[in-house]
Amino acid sequence: MTKDKSAANTKYKTILFKVSGEALMGKQEFGIDPDTTARIAADIAEAQKLGVRIALMVGGGNIFRGVSLATKGIDRVSADHMGMLATVMNAIAMKMALNASGVEAVVLSAIELTTFCETFTQRGLDEHMKAGRVVVFAGGSGHPFFTSDTPAALRACEMKADAIVKGTQVDGIYTADPKTDPSATRFDTITYSDFLSRGLKVMDTSAVALARDQEIDIVVFSLKEKGGLAKVLQGNATCTTVTV
Ligand code: UDP
């Protein structure tokens, strides 16, 4: 079966998969858990076999978040530079895990770190995607005062993705935080404008606004279940879709 034929059976054909740094910690309190990166890489390998083109944007919160140092009086711009470097470490870890799963992958960084990885260019992105590689975006937007959500949406636009698929610790978007409010209920779908007007915190508003303008669906699902990404692509996952 050709890749394209099987891709015709999936809900989305090109996705930007956003994985927060925290998700890479596994049960650890800090850093990168190799079992977890291997699990996520195996999920990506499975999804790729469905014929879906996948790029990954990783956060850095398992190592460093600029805002945490900024609250202690440290310069926010420098602190965010450190946060962006944390995302590069995670991206390299995910590239290694993908390679170990038999998936060809390349790290494209928004900040120049040419000894370690390639620098993002649109041309490079197009070439690697065309060659069937999983592109792992590092360094967020390359600019402070963002988290990795907004560059995830930006890269999704640049690669003409059908969806931003965000793996989290929770299986979708709820009316309130289900960890603290037992009466919270999960949305199956929610419109971009409803998401924004309710002030929901699952994704940065700038990322949601960008996705809305380009009509790119956002799917939020739980990373806890093995094979969850393939289920999202096959349309049978427990998740929430933010759409028009
Ligand atoms: N960051 C940044 N600009 C970006 C993306 C990330 O300055 O475009 C910095 C920021 O300090 C952020 C940190 O990198 O706190 C880690 O990213 P993020 O908070 O998105 O990690 P996640 O929550 O996804 O683990």
Side-chain angles (χ1 to χ4, degrees), residues 18 20-22 59-61 65-66 80 83-84 140-141 143-144 146-148 151:
K18 163 77 207 288
S20 73
E22 271 182 8
R65 278 207 178 92
D80 278 341
M84 285 184 261
S141 63
H143 299 285
F146 285 105
T147 76
S148 48

Side-chain angles (χ1 to χ4, degrees), residues 9-237:
N9 298 325
T10 56
K11 198 166 173 213
Y12 303 111
K13 291 176 181 56
T14 305
I15 63 160
L16 183 293
F17 185 26
K18 163 77 207 288
V19 176
S20 73
E22 271 182 8
L24 306 183
M25 295 192 300
K27 291 199 175 76
Q28 299 173 185
E29 295 200 345
F30 172 84
I32 301 166
D33 171 36
D35 289 342
T36 303
T37 53
R39 228 294 313 287
I40 295 171
D43 281 2
I44 293 171
E46 184 187 14
Q48 200 192 33
K49 284 196 187 106
L50 298 172
V52 177
R53 295 170 0 129
I54 302 169
L56 185 65
M57 169 69 76
V58 283
N62 54 325
I63 300 168
F64 194 79
R65 278 207 178 92
V67 77
S68 61
L69 210 55
T71 55
K72 296 187 179 114
I74 307 293
D75 171 52
R76 171 74 188 263
V77 172
S78 303
D80 278 341
H81 288 166
M82 294 166 71
M84 285 184 261
L85 287 170
T87 72
V88 179
M89 289 191 221
N90 286 335
I92 293 171
M94 278 311 306
K95 177 193 182 290
M96 288 192 296
L98 285 161
N99 290 159
S101 288
V103 175
E104 248 197 279
V106 59
V107 176
L108 297 186
S109 170
I111 40 181
E112 269 195 46
L113 281 166
T114 49
T115 310
F116 302 157
C117 56
E118 290 181 32
T119 307
F120 173 83
T121 61
Q122 181 70 44
R123 198 176 58 246
L125 169 63
D126 292 343
E127 278 170 14
H128 289 302
M129 296 290 293
K130 215 167 156 188
R133 294 182 194 110
V134 169
V135 170
V136 186
F137 294 118
S141 63
H143 299 285
F145 299 100
F146 285 105
T147 76
S148 48
D149 276 353
T150 303
L154 175 64
R155 297 295 186 228
C157 297
E158 288 169 312
M159 61 189 272
K160 298 185 178 60
D162 311 309
I164 299 160
V165 179
K166 180 165 176 164
T168 71
Q169 303 303 308
V170 183
D171 62 357
I173 301 172
Y174 282 69
T175 48
D177 184 350
K179 284 183 197 144
T180 53
D181 183 348
S183 68
T185 53
R186 186 179 54 77
F187 297 99
D188 276 335
T189 59
I190 181 170
T191 63
Y192 303 107
S193 51
D194 205 6
F195 180 100
L196 292 169
S197 63
R198 284 172 182 262
L200 296 168
K201 301 275 180 244
V202 181
M203 195 157 208
D204 292 354
T205 54
S206 47
V208 177
L210 197 52
R212 176 196 58 195
D213 293 349
Q214 299 303 317
E215 294 192 5
I216 299 173
D217 280 4
I218 301 169
V219 183
V220 177
F221 79 109
S222 170
L223 270 178
K224 286 182 186 161
E225 196 196 334
K226 194 169 173 290
L229 181 59
K231 278 192 179 172
V232 166
L233 296 166
Q234 289 163 325
N236 52 22

